[in-house]
Amino acid sequence: MRKKGWLVLGSLALMGSLALGGVVLAQTSMPIPTAEPARTVSGTELKVGDPTAADSPVTLVSSSTQATLGATDLGAVTVRGQAAGEIRAVQEAMEASKVRLEYRQGEIHPLGAVPVNSTLNPNAAHLYGPYWYNAGDTVTLSSTWVPTASVFRIGLTSQASRIFYGCQVAGGAGTCQLTVNQAGWYYPTIWNVGPYTATYSGFVSW
C-alpha cells in the first residue's frame, strides 16, 4: 500500500514537472520576426507616394547617404566613407532586438533593430513584415549595398494601398527616417532601382 502511494506521488510530481517545463519552453520559444523578406515584387507593382505631402500617411523626417547612428567611442576613423563607430552601433542594435520585445495588436515586434540582408535584381523590391505601426512611430531604415553604382529606394509600403513612401539613395549606403501619421500595417521596403543586381545589408528600427 505504501509503495502504491509513493508511485502515485512520484507520477504526480513527474507530470507537474513536465507541465512546468512545457510552460517554460513555450515562454522561451516565442516567435521573433525573422530577417527574411516576406515578398519579392517587381518595382512596377509599387506606386511611389510623396512622403513630404501634407496628407501623406507617412512623413519624411530625414534622408541621407550617410548613416545617422548615434555617436560611439570609436573615434572618427572611416570605412568606405562611414564612421567606424557606426559598425558597432549596428551590432549593438541587432543584439538589442534579440532581447527586448513588446506587444502591438497581438503581434510581437522587436524594439531596437531588425537586420535585413539579401540580393535584389534591378527593379525588384523586398517587402518585410508587414508590421503594425502606431501614429507617431518613427521608423529608420539604413542599408549598404554592392555594387555601389546601383540606386536604392528604402522606406515603408502601405499594405492597404501598396504605395511606397521613402527615400531614393545612391552611392552604396543610405538612411531614411520616417514618421507614421496613420496607424496601420506597413512593409519595410528595400528596392533596387538598378541598373545592377545588388547585395544589400542593413536594418530597420523603431
Side-chain angles (χ1 to χ4, degrees), residues 68-117:
T68 56
L69 302 174
T72 70
D73 58 357
L74 297 187
V77 178
T78 59
V79 179
R80 292 185 181 177
Q82 306 297 318
E86 292 166 2
I87 299 170
R88 174 175 168 179
V90 170
Q91 291 173 340
E92 290 176 347
M94 291 168 69
E95 285 299 316
S97 71
K98 296 177 185 177
V99 298
R100 292 184 294 172
L101 301 173
E102 71 169 355
Y103 285 94
R104 277 191 196 149
Q105 302 293 324
E107 298 289 329
I108 298 174
H109 296 279
L111 288 174
V114 175
V116 294
N117 56 83

Side-chain angles (χ1 to χ4, degrees), residues 14-77:
L14 178 61
M15 290 171 61
S17 64
L18 287 174
L20 182 60
V23 170
V24 171
L25 181 61
Q27 288 178 344
T28 57
S29 60
M30 290 189 292
I32 295 176
T34 67
E36 293 297 318
R39 296 191 60 191
T40 302
V41 301
S42 167
T44 57
E45 297 179 49
L46 301 176
K47 301 174 185 177
V48 178
D50 181 3
T52 64
D55 60 348
S56 175
V58 176
T59 299
L60 177 66
V61 177
S62 67
S63 174
S64 175
T65 54
Q66 299 292 320
T68 56
L69 302 174
T72 70
D73 58 357
L74 297 187
V77 178

